[in-house]
Amino acid sequence: MTADQRKVPQPAVGQPAAGETATGLAAGGSHAAARAVVVGILAAMAGLMFGLDTGVIAGALGFIGDEFHAAARTQEWIVSSMMAAAALGSVVAGRISFRLGRRRALLAASLLFVVGSGLCALAPSVAVLIVGRVLLGLAVGIAAFAAPLYISEISQESVRGAMISFYQLMVTLGIFLAYVTDSLLAYGGHWRWMLGLMAVPAALFCAACLFLPDSPRWLMMRGEWSRASQVMRLLRVSPVEADAEIRDIAQELKRGGSNGLAFFRSNPNFRRSVLLGVALQVMQQVTGINVLMYYAPKIFQAAHFGVSAATWATALIGLVNMAATGLAIAFIDRWGRRPLLVLSCAIMTAAMLMAGGLAAIGGESTLILGGMVVALLLFVAGFAIGAGPMVWTLCSEIQPLRGRDFGIACSTFTNWAANWLVSNIFLSVMAALGQSWTFWLFAIMNGVFILITLVYVPETRGVSLEEIEARLMAGRRLRDLGR
């Protein structure tokens, strides 16, 4: 037995620890399962903040443009400044998460959410508003990195997909709440209230972070094996199960080797998992989802909707997005990641083809306008059942423990960099190509996403993170990492 193994409790497999009855274990197990769910939900509040700050700008942008006389290009920078900062935040998050822990990274994000929301609400100029958006972007980048990573590391494999998808459900809930708030405040043009109200849930998220335990996997990476064992026992149904998982993690850590960039350079198998994560995040952004989320009212107005109708149609998009994500949570650990991702991309492809066709026909008839709403709602539903939650789930599952912070930092940075690029040029592209060709371009991208999924994406349902890592390091094909 090695020195490392002696630090970990070694109860006999299948036997309760001394003094523990079967009834006591059952009761303790149910409490531990509930505790793990609560911890995951608290961490998923990062997604709520992500969604609120993503969705709120859609309703506020028009009023901001009017007050500050901001041209379309300036409005693109107001929107995209958060994305650019989020890309930077995701890189910073890797270092914070590795050195200080996932929990402290989430706490740092919550503080930035509070400050950024207040600054945006009080902004006397576009420049100050952009500074506030940059702070929110840093918060979103850190939260989008740390929350799925943390949830994946504290969840059991049997419910891991659902728990990470719950983070995405909170994102959609935040977007929906932001849209509803925008719709209610739009009648008076109260854009400062739209942005300022975000500070309230940010403060609640900050308080929630104080009650989160550190990730057992991170603790073991730092050499704190005893604390890791204690936390794992709080989050697993039985001590036997907790100790077995601790031993699996220890086994992976014994493989040794370099971390981060050095590991990426030296290990071709790690490079494969990083590049797959990067590709998934690029494809998620070029589906066109965030363009719709940021600019939905402008898209509807371009399709001849009135201002009020466009605002409420946007709120309906948020509701459908949230409802469909709920379906994804219900089926992700039953059907698996790959089937939902393929179905998702197929629905989005059809929806964008339909939207492009309706835009090409044009007109203001009820049939055309209604069809456009149906097409965009179908697109959002398609994204929410697959491309939204599955990409974040897969990116948090496929990276080996020694390089997990680096790998997820790369994919999260790519997500926000692609998000920034798409959001920064969308209004200009739509003006150059027209609405119909813009939608058709997104349809092509979704078709490409189907091919990438079929060729490269693994099915990770019900497989432990340690098993996925072992298969990756053994050189298996990417799509065979799960089964």
Side-chain angles (χ1 to χ4, degrees):
M1 183 179 293
T2 68
D4 284 343
Q5 286 175 315
R6 284 194 295 270
K7 296 179 184 178
V8 182
Q10 303 285 329
V13 176
Q15 298 296 321
E20 291 177 321
T21 66
T23 303
L25 284 173
S30 63
H31 291 156
R35 188 182 299 114
V37 170
V38 170
V39 168
I41 290 173
L42 290 177
M45 284 185 66
L48 179 66
M49 297 310 307
F50 180 168
L52 287 169
D53 289 300
T54 296
V56 71
I57 197 63
L61 189 60
F63 301 112
I64 292 171
D66 292 340
E67 178 162 336
F68 294 121
H69 307 290
R73 187 63 185 142
T74 302
Q75 291 182 43
E76 284 178 333
W77 275 107
I78 291 172
V79 173
S80 63
S81 59
M82 191 178 89
M83 282 80 259
L88 176 61
S90 66
V91 175
V92 174
R95 184 171 295 274
I96 295 174
S97 176
F98 180 75
R99 297 202 176 271
L100 301 179
R102 289 75 163 109
R103 181 179 67 85
R104 291 179 180 85
L106 290 172
L107 182 60
S110 69
L111 294 172
L112 286 171
F113 277 128
V114 173
V115 176
S117 297
L119 193 58
C120 285
L122 300 173
S125 65
V126 169
V128 175
L129 178 62
I130 289 178
V131 171
R133 294 278 294 170
V134 166
L135 292 179
L136 290 175
L138 291 172
V140 167
I142 294 171
F145 171 95
L149 172 60
Y150 178 83
I151 295 170
S152 73
E153 292 187 343
I154 60 98
S155 300
Q156 290 182 283
E157 59 264 23
S158 60
V159 295
R160 189 177 62 236
M163 289 304 300
I164 300 174
S165 294
F166 189 82
Y167 163 82
Q168 183 65 22
L169 177 64
M170 296 298 280
V171 174
T172 62
L173 174 61
I175 292 172
F176 172 65
L177 292 176
Y179 285 169
V180 171
T181 302
D182 286 354
S183 299
L184 294 173
L185 294 173
Y187 294 106
H190 302 302
W191 66 267
R192 293 185 185 276
W193 279 101
M194 294 178 189
L195 302 180
L197 284 174
M198 302 303 104
V200 176
L204 294 175
F205 175 47
C206 184
C209 290
L210 299 176
F211 295 94
L212 297 176
D214 282 311
S215 159
R217 286 172 170 82
W218 178 77
L219 289 170
M220 292 188 69
M221 290 171 61
R222 308 300 293 175
E224 299 185 45
W225 292 50
S226 177
R227 280 187 62 201
S229 180
Q230 292 172 5
V231 173
M232 189 70 81
R233 285 187 170 216
L234 289 174
L235 300 175
R236 293 297 179 263
V237 172
S238 71
V240 172
E241 182 178 324
D243 294 339
E245 191 165 343
I246 288 289
R247 287 193 293 270
D248 287 342
I249 298 170
Q251 192 64 36
E252 292 302 324
L253 288 174
K254 286 177 195 172
R255 294 177 185 271
S258 53
N259 290 308
L261 182 59
F263 188 31
F264 178 80
R265 288 173 174 170
S266 65
N267 193 297
N269 290 316
F270 180 43
R271 288 198 295 272
R272 291 190 303 138
S273 67
V274 172
L275 293 176
L276 177 57
V278 166
L280 287 171
Q281 293 288 13
V282 169
M283 293 312 304
Q284 186 196 64
Q285 290 308 305
V286 298
T287 60
I289 184 61
N290 280 322
V291 161
L292 184 59
M293 293 302 173
Y294 300 141
Y295 296 112
K298 289 186 174 292
I299 293 172
F300 283 121
Q301 288 173 34
H304 308 292
F305 281 68
V307 174
S308 178
T311 303
W312 282 107
T314 302
L316 183 59
I317 282 178
L319 178 62
V320 170
N321 189 24
M322 182 176 63
T325 303
L327 287 177
I329 291 176
F331 291 106
I332 185 173
D333 288 313
R334 298 182 189 179
W335 291 4
R337 284 63 158 155
R338 276 170 57 94
L340 285 173
L341 196 50
V342 170
L343 176 62
S344 167
C345 295
I347 292 173
M348 288 190 291
T349 301
M352 286 291 97
L353 290 172
M354 178 180 172
L358 291 170
I361 294 171
E364 301 182 30
S365 69
T366 302
L367 183 62
I368 294 294
L369 297 182
M372 181 64 75
V373 172
V374 170
L376 295 182
L377 291 178
L378 185 64
F379 171 78
V380 169
F383 178 86
I385 65 169
M390 300 308 136
V391 166
W392 291 107
T393 299
L394 286 162
C395 285
S396 66
E397 291 177 329
I398 62 176
Q399 305 301 342
L401 181 58
R402 283 168 290 158
R404 189 164 294 153
D405 293 86
F406 177 83
I408 296 178
C410 288
S411 61
T412 306
F413 172 83
T414 302
N415 177 281
W416 289 110
N419 191 335
W420 171 82
L421 179 62
V422 173
S423 64
N424 190 257
I425 66 174
F426 171 70
L427 292 180
S428 302
V429 169
M430 190 166 67
L433 297 181
Q435 198 174 35
S436 58
W437 276 105
T438 303
F439 286 138
W440 288 334
L441 180 61
F442 286 134
I444 292 171
M445 292 297 101
N446 281 289
V448 172
F449 203 171
I450 294 176
L451 296 178
I452 290 176
T453 300
L454 292 174
V455 175
Y456 295 109
V457 174
E459 178 52 69
T460 55
R461 174 172 61 94
V463 184
S464 73
L465 298 178
E466 287 67 44
E467 289 178 282
I468 294 170
E469 176 172 350
R471 292 166 185 169
L472 173 69
M473 291 299 127
R476 285 203 191 180
R477 291 186 306 177
L478 288 171
R479 70 179 183 183
D480 294 334
L481 294 183
R483 296 182 181 279

